Amino acid sequence: MSTKTMIIAKNLVKKYEEITAVDGISFVINRGECYGFLGPNGAGKTTTMKIINCMSPLTSGNVLVCERHVKTKPREIKALTGVVPQEENLDPDLTVFKNLLVYARYFEVPSNEAESRVEELINFLNLSEKIDSHINELSGGMKRRLLIARALINNPEILILDEPTTGLDPQVRHMIWQKLRQLKKNGITMLLTTHYMEEASQLCDRIAIMDKGKILIEGNPVTLVEEKIGKEVLELRINNAMENELLQKLNRFEFTHDRVGDTLYMFSRDGRELLQYLVSNDYPLVLHRPATLEDLFLKLTGRGLRE
Ligand SMILES: Nc1ncnc2c1ncn2[C@@H]1O[C@H](COP(=O)(O)OP(=O)(O)OP(=O)(O)O)[C@@H](O)[C@H]1O
Ligand SMILES: [Mg+2]
């Protein structure tokens, strides 16, 4: 493994009795990269993160983190990684400051450095005003920022973020993106899971879309959307009869389409001519927009509810 490679997973399988949560996935994550795992609820994202961080044993396959095997070097791997878990697990009996200090001790940060490191991280996540507050006095956004600060206490090479902004308001979400971009600039490698496609587009160099324990597709988000969806999307609210009539008239245009409920989605490389035609013929166009990762996600994972 070259020093450029931070994580290698090969044919990774995780079974919980009769459930196969991760079903033979392989991927490579490079130094300094932000790699996103996307997928519907239950796809196996958190399970994959937990295996990488040695919190859950794999059933079969191989995972190497910084050239160390998850089965044999969990302590070393934990020292090299920081984790923001999906479920908040701060100590409610301790203040913001003490929550971080306990972690600093756990990671054996020398005591003369620990307090200044804790203060530095509290500042970095804009939590200075809350330094002596208890956890139950914090808002959801503050708790999440504190979890990020805690994950950085051991100066990790790899930061694992399991839904770092779920349920947060747009202000906090954008602030967290800024901080994560800053960390990335400093060279940290990031693994991110998210249900926000915009978050993945903003932060990730590459993404993997998972479903039912498998990786369906992997690559750069912009390139994938262009290749698999196109550049532009037109959305029309028309009934089936109108749709059939319209599609017959559009032979000369290049596009793909999909009907969902009352809406016809038309995906094309260049929607301008198509748009002109629809507008000049008074079709009830609701939206003309760029194609997004969400279009690709829904195309690959379908529109059925998972749980
Ligand atoms: N400790 C466990 N015991 C048994 N089954 C589990 C356990 N943890 C996860 N699972 C199952 O494994 C599958 C994958 O779960 P996982 O938490 O990895 O999904 P996820 O992609 O993170 O989903 P979400 O988006 O909802 O967080 C699910 O079917 C889940 O029910
Ligand atoms: Mg999860």
Side-chain angles (χ1 to χ4, degrees), residues 24-72:
I25 64 172
S26 301
F27 55 88
V28 171
I29 299 175
N30 298 314
R31 183 181 289 279
E33 183 172 44
C34 178
Y35 190 97
F37 285 96
L38 308 180
N41 292 139
K45 305 178 296 295
T46 297
T47 305
T48 304
M49 299 286 179
K50 284 186 174 167
I51 292 167
I52 292 170
N53 189 235
C54 310
M55 292 195 301
S56 174
L58 50 76
T59 305
S60 65
N62 268 316
V63 178
L64 288 171
V65 181
C66 295
E67 299 180 306
R68 294 154 177 89
H69 202 298
V70 289
K71 269 190 194 160
T72 56

Side-chain angles (χ1 to χ4, degrees), residues 208-277:
I209 297 182
M210 290 184 73
D211 199 7
K212 298 177 188 139
K214 292 191 190 302
I215 291 179
L216 304 178
I217 205 166
E218 184 202 50
N220 171 267
V222 177
T223 316
L224 286 178
V225 171
E226 269 194 42
E227 276 176 14
K228 305 288 174 196
I229 301 290
K231 269 198 177 309
E232 296 180 41
V233 183
L234 296 158
E235 295 187 16
L236 279 84
R237 296 271 148 75
I238 57 176
N239 62 32
N240 277 317
M242 267 173 93
E243 174 184 324
N244 291 336
E245 189 195 297
L246 172 65
L247 293 175
Q248 276 176 11
K249 290 180 185 160
L250 295 177
N251 283 338
R252 65 196 163 92
F253 297 102
E254 215 178 299
F255 65 95
T256 58
H257 62 91
D258 188 15
R259 164 167 284 278
V260 183
D262 61 354
T263 305
L264 175 69
Y265 293 83
M266 302 168 91
F267 307 101
S268 72
R269 304 247 156 250
D270 178 356
R272 278 172 301 183
E273 266 189 70
L274 193 53
L275 177 68
Q276 248 172 21
Y277 179 89

Side-chain angles (χ1 to χ4, degrees), residues 45-46 86 162-163:
K45 305 178 296 295
T46 297
Q86 184 170 356
D162 197 350
E163 298 193 29

Side-chain angles (χ1 to χ4, degrees), residues 59-265:
T59 305
S60 65
N62 268 316
V63 178
L64 288 171
V65 181
C66 295
E67 299 180 306
R68 294 154 177 89
H69 202 298
V70 289
K71 269 190 194 160
T72 56
K73 302 277 187 215
R75 256 193 94 80
E76 289 183 25
I77 291 174
K78 281 184 184 178
L80 290 163
T81 51
V83 182
V84 176
Q86 184 170 356
E87 307 291 341
E88 182 256 297
N89 61 352
L90 295 158
D91 189 333
D93 297 326
L94 300 179
T95 63
V96 165
F97 185 78
K98 284 276 166 59
N99 256 279
L100 295 198
L101 203 61
V102 164
Y103 257 64
R105 296 219 175 102
Y106 173 76
F107 283 109
E108 295 169 353
V109 177
S111 54
N112 59 337
E113 276 175 36
E115 291 198 3
S116 58
R117 176 103 189 110
V118 167
E119 279 171 15
E120 186 190 315
L121 286 168
I122 287 174
N123 280 337
F124 179 61
L125 272 308
N126 297 5
L127 287 166
S128 306
E129 284 178 20
K130 298 289 170 185
I131 192 161
D132 294 319
S133 300
H134 276 86
I135 300 309
N136 61 9
E137 297 169 80
L138 304 182
S139 69
M142 290 170 189
K143 284 182 194 164
R144 209 67 62 79
R145 274 142 63 202
L146 184 57
L147 285 170
I148 296 175
R150 193 185 69 182
L152 295 168
I153 203 83
N154 56 330
N155 218 351
E157 297 207 21
I158 300 170
L159 181 60
I160 297 174
L161 301 140
D162 197 350
E163 298 193 29
T165 68
T166 294
L168 305 187
D169 71 32
Q171 283 83 358
V172 181
R173 188 177 304 152
H174 281 257
M175 181 251 189
I176 289 178
W177 293 350
Q178 290 285 347
K179 299 296 175 190
L180 296 180
R181 276 197 289 266
Q182 216 168 312
L183 291 168
K184 188 163 174 275
K185 239 188 203 164
N186 296 340
I188 204 164
T189 304
M190 288 198 285
L191 265 74
L192 171 83
T193 77
T194 181
H195 290 296
Y196 300 116
M197 300 298 130
E198 195 199 344
E199 180 160 293
S201 303
Q202 287 265 351
L203 298 174
C204 298
D205 303 298
R206 285 190 302 146
I207 54 147
I209 297 182
M210 290 184 73
D211 199 7
K212 298 177 188 139
K214 292 191 190 302
I215 291 179
L216 304 178
I217 205 166
E218 184 202 50
N220 171 267
V222 177
T223 316
L224 286 178
V225 171
E226 269 194 42
E227 276 176 14
K228 305 288 174 196
I229 301 290
K231 269 198 177 309
E232 296 180 41
V233 183
L234 296 158
E235 295 187 16
L236 279 84
R237 296 271 148 75
I238 57 176
N239 62 32
N240 277 317
M242 267 173 93
E243 174 184 324
N244 291 336
E245 189 195 297
L246 172 65
L247 293 175
Q248 276 176 11
K249 290 180 185 160
L250 295 177
N251 283 338
R252 65 196 163 92
F253 297 102
E254 215 178 299
F255 65 95
T256 58
H257 62 91
D258 188 15
R259 164 167 284 278
V260 183
D262 61 354
T263 305
L264 175 69
Y265 293 83

